[in-house]
Amino acid sequence: MNIDLEGYYRIRYSLFRWRQNQTWISKTVMAFFMACVTGIMAQVVIPLPWTPVPVTAQTLAVLMSGVVLGRYWGGLSQVIYVLIGAAGVPWFAGMTGGTAVLMGATGGYLIGFVLAALLLGHFVDIHIRSRKFTPMMALMLVANFGLIYIPGLLVLGLWTLQTTGNMPSAWELLAMGLLPFIPGDLLKITGAAAVTRVITPKEPYGEEVDVHKFPEWRLP
């Protein structure tokens, strides 16, 4: 069986070039649909009895939003997700919505979604080498465990202090807001990095700035 790799390369390049050249209206519509995907995946929930933070599938959509939509627009998709959810649409985890969720135990993670998508979208559009598996996995590890969990843990700690009157210890905070989620997150990050490696072109399609530094466009 012959595989037309050149045809495949052309298709993925054409798709990302098409996305890059869309008007801001079209990109906003695409961001809205990605927000809907995030909302749908947020309904895949596994509650944990010792923490108000559930296991969900939505972080996979968050990571891929930056890759698929690129610089700024991946972040916008998560802004849309957060704002519409805060307005009352029940598409946060477990069919919840409203400003109470933003002020609650998981509000910091929602803020982190925006930051993570912005970081990944920036690197995917600007730096060609970031589209390889290993650099993308490293970026997703930073985005997930740095940009999502740091604000998530900070808000979770403040919420616990407000609701119980006691500030949790560092170990208690990690047990509630980080440690149970590491295995699933590693699985999602590995899958997202692998998908990124397959679907993103390894040649410049828009505003990349590292082409002169790394002239070899199609990297193995």
Side-chain angles (χ1 to χ4, degrees):
M1 182 177 63
N2 294 325
I3 301 176
D4 184 8
L5 289 179
E6 287 301 321
Y8 164 68
Y9 292 147
R10 285 194 298 271
I11 290 172
R12 70 182 186 184
Y13 169 82
S14 297
L15 287 173
F16 275 79
R17 182 67 177 171
W18 172 84
R19 184 264 281 170
Q20 186 71 17
N21 291 332
Q22 292 304 295
T23 66
W24 69 268
I25 296 176
S26 297
K27 289 181 178 180
T28 301
V29 171
M30 287 189 282
F32 170 76
F33 278 106
M34 198 67 205
C36 293
V37 172
T38 306
I40 292 170
M41 296 190 72
Q43 307 319 312
V44 180
V45 175
I46 302 175
L48 302 176
W50 65 89
T51 174
V53 183
V55 176
T56 73
Q58 68 192 117
T59 51
L60 179 60
V62 173
L63 297 175
M64 291 307 301
S65 67
V67 173
V68 173
L69 298 180
R71 198 179 186 199
Y72 307 127
W73 300 97
L76 178 63
S77 73
Q78 298 309 306
V79 171
I80 292 172
Y81 171 66
V82 172
L83 290 180
I84 292 180
V89 174
W91 65 359
F92 290 149
M95 295 292 289
T96 59
T99 56
V101 178
L102 292 182
M103 304 300 293
T106 58
Y109 297 96
L110 296 172
I111 296 171
F113 290 170
V114 178
L115 301 178
L118 285 171
L119 175 76
L120 294 173
H122 171 82
F123 274 91
V124 166
D125 271 3
I126 297 298
H127 300 288
I128 297 171
R129 288 205 169 197
S130 70
R131 303 169 199 162
K132 296 175 66 179
F133 175 79
T134 301
M136 180 51 59
M137 187 164 183
L139 284 170
M140 287 183 173
L141 286 169
V142 171
N144 189 79
F145 292 108
L147 298 183
I148 294 177
Y149 276 97
I150 288 177
L153 290 171
L154 288 173
V155 173
L156 177 61
L158 293 174
W159 176 86
T160 304
L161 174 63
Q162 182 182 20
T163 55
T164 67
N166 297 309
M167 188 68 181
S169 67
W171 173 254
E172 290 171 336
L173 193 58
L174 291 175
M176 287 193 298
L178 172 61
L179 298 178
F181 311 102
I182 291 177
D185 283 357
L186 291 177
L187 183 62
K188 286 181 281 188
I189 288 169
T190 302
V195 171
T196 299
R197 171 66 182 88
V198 172
I199 68 171
T200 54
K202 306 306 182 285
E203 54 271 306
Y205 53 76
E207 55 178 308
E208 290 86 351
V209 297
D210 64 346
V211 176
H212 299 296
K213 186 176 180 181
F214 302 111
E216 62 277 24
W217 287 359
R218 182 165 297 148
L219 301 171

